[in-house]
Amino acid sequence: MPHHMPAMNTTVIGRLNPITKIVAVFSLGLSALAWPDFTLGLIVVALLFVVSFMAHIQKDFAKIMFGFGIPVTVMLMFIQGMYSPKNKTVLLDLGFSQLCLEGVLYAAKVVVSLLVFLGSFYIMNKTTYVGSMVAALTAVGLNAKVGYLVLASLNVVPQMQRRMAVIQEAQSARGLDATGGMLSRIKAYIPLLGPVVLSSLTDAQERGMTLETRGFGITGVRQTSYVKVDWNTMDTVANWVLGIVLLAVVVVSILMRIGVIPMLITWGGV
Amino acid sequence: MRIELKGLEHAYSKTDKALDGVDLVLEGSEPVAIIGQNGAGKTTLVKHFNGILRPTGGSVEINGVDINTRSTAEWSREVGYVFQNPDDQLFLESVRKEFEFGPRQIGMDADTIARRVNEVAELTGLSKKLDVHPFDLTPTEKKFCTIGAVIMMDPAAVIFDEPTCGQDRSGNARLKTIIERLRGQGKLCITISHDMKFVTANFSRVIVMCHGTVLLDGSVNEVFAQTDILRRSFITPPPITRVAQGAGLKETVFTVPAFINAITKERNHHG
Amino acid sequence: MSAIVHVEDFSFKYRDTKRRAVKHVSFDVEEGSCFAIIGANGSGKSTLCNALVGLIPHYFVGARAGRILIDGVDVAESTIAELSNTIGLVFQNPFNQLSYTAGTVAEELAYGLGNHGVARELMIERVEAVAKLMRIDHILDKNPLELSGGQVQRVAFGSTFIMEPRVLVLDECTTQLDPLGASEIFDIVKQLNADGVTVIMVDHDMERVAQYADTVMVLDRGSVAAIGAPYEVFADPELESHGVQPPDYVPLTRALGLPIEIREEPTIAAVKEVLA
């Protein structure tokens, strides 16, 4: 039967159930956080690069990871490396301050954990059609109203941009000159923001009521969706693996912290 | 006012050519109606008259000046444009401020603005609503507020995009008055409309567009006499005209008196 | 009682206006008929449409009197969503009728069915059928927010009648369409009507009203000024005093001294006879 969907990511990653992807974000992110040092997180980040290749989004993915990763790493390394209360071992004497190992290691862990969350979330976002996401969440019991809020709010921004463009057109036809420098453009458009926001709000209000005339908010009926979300063997396997990984990481981390297993990198330094 | 198009083309994308070689001269104060199906290129065409859209091929000249030499804001002194949706146009807190906005942008002096506000308010039926927030106007009043705001700038040509959309009888009567007033002042009025009764009652020249080209261009009588071409471009003449054509009257008529005249002539002819 | 819509002495005043939008309106609409509401702008037509589908009193706040029954159910005691099983409204502004949650026209059409829990297989079947009928099957993959006015109007219309309401309320539902598009929509309306769907239409095009309606109600400043068969209403010389003009065939046949006609074909036939 014909089935009309927007252009979607058809790679192995793209075909995963949205629930699996949400589970992955949490499982991988929490694992990186639970692990006592940065090593596990670093491995996961490397794995995410592999995943981004599989999903054919490696370029954008790399841009996000490096664009966010490098400045944050530098910033955190210096702040923690110089001012962390745990600091003992001096790596580098800058004169006005000293860069220490403990702070740098701590910063490394924070950065990789952030990158795991950011990277996995980005992959999920890039490879999942929002409609499928909401359909999947509704299928596991998410409230229809919450689902609507998620979808509608994602649509509001592009809609406002379109509207802003039309209103700009209409105002330039009334002599509003916006061809000068940045400053004159900003000055010219500030008065337009009001009507854009106002009309978006009234539209949203009218929309709310039209939705109810199409049965939105009806009680006692289990909602269905045009968007079909598959659950494949792949998803079952992935969810099990992700669950076991998280569990194992948490157990091992606890054992390391209470000293049953020796740590790979000791905070106190050599 | 003279608007001249030579081989005008506009392509939104490589595969989507909305205008495909339009040659036209619009001049004088004879009101012009542009008709045609949805997607025929009507709005794309008129958006070239004040530079909202720029030609992707051919040229547009306003009084001999190439459209590309000035910005839309600069052209707004010569060519006014009333958008189809009033909500795209109104953004100030009173009708009066809406009326004053355009003229101020183009540097009209305060006395002239004050005088024109009263004139235009009367013309658009908003004299008692000048201090009302446009948001609180009825849809009809909003439309007339946008029309007033454009006329306030005293442009030599005014473009209306579907002005009868959602109007009732009294709204249509007011539009008629406005079009007649503009013509009396020597302004060129160019209107896109689906409403054939409105077109035949107010416009002497009619341009039919189809697939991005001009299919017919002539007096309203000439155009509506071309029943075959109109049918092929999916245009239905107004009811009186259809009855006359259906009953086999030779003359193209749009009003009841004209119909009676034609029928009397035809009977005399036969008798 | 075969009236599927029963309006009894209904009045409503919006909270922020001084005047009542509708005053003491009573009428019945028989199941399977086509009922037209006409009147000048501001005469209360849209208010009445809002009341029929339950937006008044569940959405618009104000002072309300009288009652409205849809298939025997008091609108005030039901909910808008419940009523959508029986009665559907196609709004004047089609852009605001979009759900803003659908990535494709297909999803947009299916939206109401999803709310009512229609099984996916049936949903797809109906989406295909409605899209074909509305001539939007070539844009099913497109984003509804990127369509032209005429296309959105078709989608809005389709997304209402896909729910197969027993009563379809059309509030000037063709303003964005060219005459051909509008007549295509009304051909579909006529077919639905013939299949037993009750139609309540609000329109400014009197020739169209005369062509499709079995009953016409004239509203003037919120009150019922006239109600009856199209011929009775349109042939009445008093009609224009309520801000409404009859179809052009009426002044034409009147001026020719012929029996009054309200539709095109009989007018042509009558004129031909005069010429013969």
Side-chain angles (χ1 to χ4, degrees):
Chain A
M1 205 171 281
H3 182 204
H4 299 275
M5 298 286 281
M8 279 190 289
N9 191 312
T10 52
T11 60
V12 182
I13 305 300
R15 285 204 307 270
L16 283 176
N17 190 290
I19 301 288
T20 308
K21 297 181 202 176
I22 295 175
V23 169
V25 171
F26 283 100
S27 161
L28 298 176
L30 292 177
S31 298
L33 265 184
W35 198 251
D37 58 49
F38 69 88
T39 50
L40 181 68
L42 196 61
I43 294 167
V44 175
V45 169
L47 280 175
L48 287 177
F49 271 94
V50 176
V51 171
S52 78
F53 262 97
M54 289 161 66
H56 301 310
I57 52 165
Q58 63 275 21
K59 260 193 192 160
D60 294 331
F61 181 75
K63 251 186 235 164
I64 289 282
M65 294 299 268
F66 289 117
F68 175 82
I70 293 173
V72 170
T73 311
V74 171
M75 197 180 74
L76 277 179
M77 289 266 176
F78 274 95
I79 294 174
Q80 292 294 335
M82 294 191 283
Y83 306 113
S84 172
K86 292 190 194 120
N87 281 345
K88 270 189 210 143
T89 324
V90 179
L91 286 175
L92 191 63
D93 197 338
L94 296 166
F96 63 92
S97 182
Q98 293 167 325
L99 193 68
C100 301
L101 178 66
E102 292 76 11
V104 168
L105 286 173
Y106 179 70
K109 192 195 150 184
V110 174
V111 171
V112 293
S113 303
L114 275 176
L115 285 178
V116 169
F117 272 114
L118 176 77
S120 54
F121 186 83
Y122 182 79
I123 293 173
M124 171 180 85
N125 200 31
K126 266 283 179 185
T127 60
T128 314
Y129 168 50
V130 195
S132 313
M133 174 72 82
V134 171
L137 288 172
T138 315
V140 296
L142 178 82
N143 187 301
K145 288 190 177 166
V146 178
Y148 169 72
L149 277 180
V150 172
L151 284 174
S153 45
L154 284 170
N155 263 321
V156 161
V157 175
Q159 184 57 15
M160 273 195 181
Q161 283 171 338
R162 266 181 224 124
R163 218 178 147 73
M164 191 73 194
V166 178
I167 292 184
Q168 280 177 9
E169 218 172 62
Q171 300 320 320
S172 67
R174 288 172 75 189
L176 186 68
D177 214 331
T179 45
M182 194 63 188
L183 201 70
S184 76
R185 283 178 68 158
I186 292 172
K187 229 176 94 188
Y189 287 136
I190 282 175
L192 300 183
L193 286 173
V196 172
V197 173
L198 192 71
S199 63
S200 301
L201 287 178
T202 51
D203 284 357
Q205 193 183 13
E206 194 173 330
R207 217 175 297 137
M209 78 183 195
T210 66
L211 289 184
E212 286 185 56
T213 65
R214 289 165 77 190
F216 178 66
I218 201 162
T219 46
V221 177
R222 191 175 171 81
Q223 267 78 49
T224 50
S225 175
Y226 182 86
V227 180
K228 190 167 175 243
V229 202
D230 294 317
W231 184 273
N232 299 316
T233 330
M234 195 53 188
D235 293 296
T236 316
V237 174
N239 276 283
W240 274 108
V241 170
L242 288 164
I244 292 167
V245 165
L246 179 61
L247 194 72
V249 167
V250 169
V251 170
V252 172
S253 305
I254 291 171
L255 293 178
M256 286 206 279
R257 279 174 207 259
I258 58 176
V260 179
I261 302 178
M263 294 215 188
L264 291 173
I265 298 172
T266 43
W267 292 107
V270 189
Chain B
M1 168 57 67
R2 179 183 164 92
I3 299 175
E4 183 165 7
L5 318 177
K6 288 181 197 152
L8 175 64
E9 288 180 9
H10 192 91
Y12 287 107
S13 69
K14 273 182 191 160
T15 50
D16 179 15
K17 213 170 202 181
L19 293 178
D20 197 2
V22 176
D23 294 288
L24 265 185
V25 177
L26 303 170
E27 63 183 334
S29 57
E30 190 191 12
V32 185
I34 302 178
I35 62 176
Q37 260 197 301
N38 282 350
K42 307 183 296 292
T43 302
T44 307
L45 180 75
V46 299
K47 280 189 173 173
H48 282 86
F49 297 172
N50 66 344
I52 293 176
L53 291 177
R54 305 285 164 158
T56 56
S59 68
V60 178
E61 282 178 10
I62 311 287
N63 290 333
V65 181
D66 189 284
I67 193 83
N68 284 326
T69 57
R70 296 185 202 164
S71 69
T72 299
E74 287 167 312
W75 282 120
S76 70
R77 296 163 187 274
E78 329 283 336
V79 183
Y81 192 117
V82 181
F83 280 69
Q84 191 176 352
N85 179 2
D87 293 330
D88 294 340
Q89 212 176 309
L90 304 176
F91 68 104
L92 294 165
E93 52 275 26
S94 72
V95 172
R96 187 186 300 280
K97 286 187 175 164
E98 289 289 350
F99 277 16
E100 291 170 348
F101 177 83
R104 286 219 176 113
Q105 293 290 320
I106 58 168
M108 195 182 279
D109 67 90
D111 289 345
T112 315
I113 294 181
R115 183 173 47 78
R116 291 187 64 81
V117 164
N118 291 324
E119 279 174 23
V120 173
E122 210 199 312
L123 183 64
T124 51
L126 294 170
S127 298
K128 287 179 186 160
K129 305 268 179 169
L130 278 172
D131 297 308
V132 173
H133 198 297
F135 201 70
D136 294 325
L137 297 175
T138 66
T140 315
E141 290 167 340
K142 263 190 204 170
K143 188 85 186 186
F144 283 108
C145 180
T146 62
I147 292 173
V150 169
I151 293 178
M152 275 299 296
M153 296 170 75
D154 203 20
V158 182
I159 299 162
F160 295 98
D161 193 350
E162 294 291 356
T164 59
C165 193
Q167 297 285 12
D168 57 5
R169 192 175 62 145
S170 66
N172 281 343
R174 189 173 293 285
L175 276 171
K176 189 179 183 64
T177 314
I178 292 173
I179 292 166
E180 277 165 7
R181 179 78 64 91
L182 291 172
R183 177 185 212 164
Q185 292 170 344
K187 315 277 188 198
L188 175 60
C189 171
I190 302 163
T191 303
I192 293 179
S193 184
H194 284 318
D195 184 340
M196 293 306 132
K197 278 195 203 177
F198 174 73
V199 167
T200 52
N202 294 286
F203 298 86
S204 38
R205 179 176 172 192
V206 175
I207 293 169
V208 181
M209 291 203 64
C210 191
H211 300 306
T213 56
V214 171
L215 200 63
L216 287 173
D217 177 6
S219 76
V220 64
N221 289 72
E222 285 163 12
V223 167
F224 281 96
Q226 308 280 333
T227 44
D228 284 340
I229 299 181
L230 289 181
R231 198 173 306 125
R232 263 182 280 137
S233 49
F234 305 106
I235 287 167
T236 322
I240 300 273
T241 318
R242 282 207 304 272
V243 171
Q245 288 168 349
L249 286 186
K250 286 180 191 70
E251 215 174 307
T252 305
V253 294
F254 306 112
T255 60
V256 172
F259 193 102
I260 306 277
N261 256 336
I263 213 168
T264 318
K265 259 194 249 168
E266 209 128 320
R267 269 160 148 179
N268 291 343
H269 197 74
H270 285 290
Chain C
M1 195 174 72
S2 64
I4 189 160
V5 174
H6 174 72
V7 178
E8 197 180 301
D9 200 24
F10 182 76
S11 301
F12 186 74
K13 187 186 88 61
Y14 290 97
R15 195 174 46 187
D16 44 6
T17 56
K18 287 188 203 109
R19 217 161 51 80
R20 276 180 295 178
V22 289
K23 295 179 267 195
H24 304 292
V25 171
S26 296
F27 64 93
D28 279 319
V29 180
E30 302 296 310
E31 176 136 38
S33 67
C34 180
F35 187 93
I37 306 173
I38 62 174
N41 281 340
S43 61
K45 304 186 299 293
S46 290
T47 301
L48 216 44
C49 291
N50 290 339
L52 291 176
V53 298
L55 291 170
I56 294 171
H58 300 295
Y59 191 85
F60 291 104
V61 200
R64 182 180 158 278
R67 62 179 193 152
I68 295 179
L69 303 182
I70 303 295
D71 196 25
V73 175
D74 191 331
V75 164
E77 279 154 28
S78 186
T79 66
I80 301 168
E82 286 291 343
L83 287 163
S84 73
N85 267 321
T86 319
I87 187 164
L89 170 61
V90 184
F91 289 80
Q92 233 178 81
N93 182 349
F95 290 93
N96 285 346
Q97 197 168 347
L98 296 176
S99 67
Y100 283 71
T101 62
T104 63
V105 168
E107 280 170 63
E108 186 67 52
L109 290 172
Y111 179 80
L113 299 179
N115 284 330
H116 285 290
V118 171
R120 189 164 169 277
E121 293 69 38
L122 186 57
M123 205 184 248
I124 292 174
E125 218 169 86
R126 280 214 226 159
V127 165
E128 297 295 325
V130 166
K132 208 165 170 192
L133 194 59
M134 297 307 301
R135 304 200 176 176
I136 46 175
D137 41 350
H138 60 294
I139 53 167
L140 278 176
D141 295 324
K142 285 208 177 169
N143 183 337
L145 298 176
E146 285 163 6
L147 304 177
S148 73
Q151 288 172 326
V152 173
Q153 204 135 42
R154 284 167 190 268
V155 172
F157 188 86
S159 64
T160 299
F161 95 75
I162 198 170
M163 294 163 72
E164 302 184 339
R166 287 168 64 198
V167 185
L168 194 55
V169 185
L170 311 171
D171 188 0
E172 292 182 52
C173 71
T174 57
T175 53
Q176 303 272 341
L177 287 163
D178 56 37
L180 178 76
S183 70
E184 278 175 13
I185 296 260
F186 272 93
D187 285 344
I188 296 168
V189 170
K190 197 178 170 185
Q191 188 55 51
L192 291 171
N193 193 219
D195 292 344
V197 175
T198 309
V199 175
I200 298 179
M201 63 186 277
V202 169
D203 215 298
H204 279 303
D205 185 333
M206 295 308 147
E207 285 80 15
R208 188 184 293 150
V209 169
Q211 191 184 345
Y212 293 104
D214 332 300
T215 310
V216 177
M217 177 167 80
V218 185
L219 286 183
D220 187 2
R221 279 158 289 178
S223 303
V224 178
I227 185 166
Y231 187 87
E232 281 168 47
V233 172
F234 287 131
D236 183 357
E238 286 295 300
L239 180 67
E240 298 208 31
S241 67
H242 303 302
V244 184
Q245 252 169 340
D248 280 356
Y249 315 114
V250 173
L252 181 64
T253 44
R254 191 175 281 148
L256 289 169
L258 297 169
I260 303 292
E261 293 292 350
I262 60 167
R263 298 190 185 96
E264 185 178 340
E265 291 77 23
T267 312
I268 292 178
V271 172
K272 270 187 180 162
E273 214 154 293
V274 171
L275 282 171

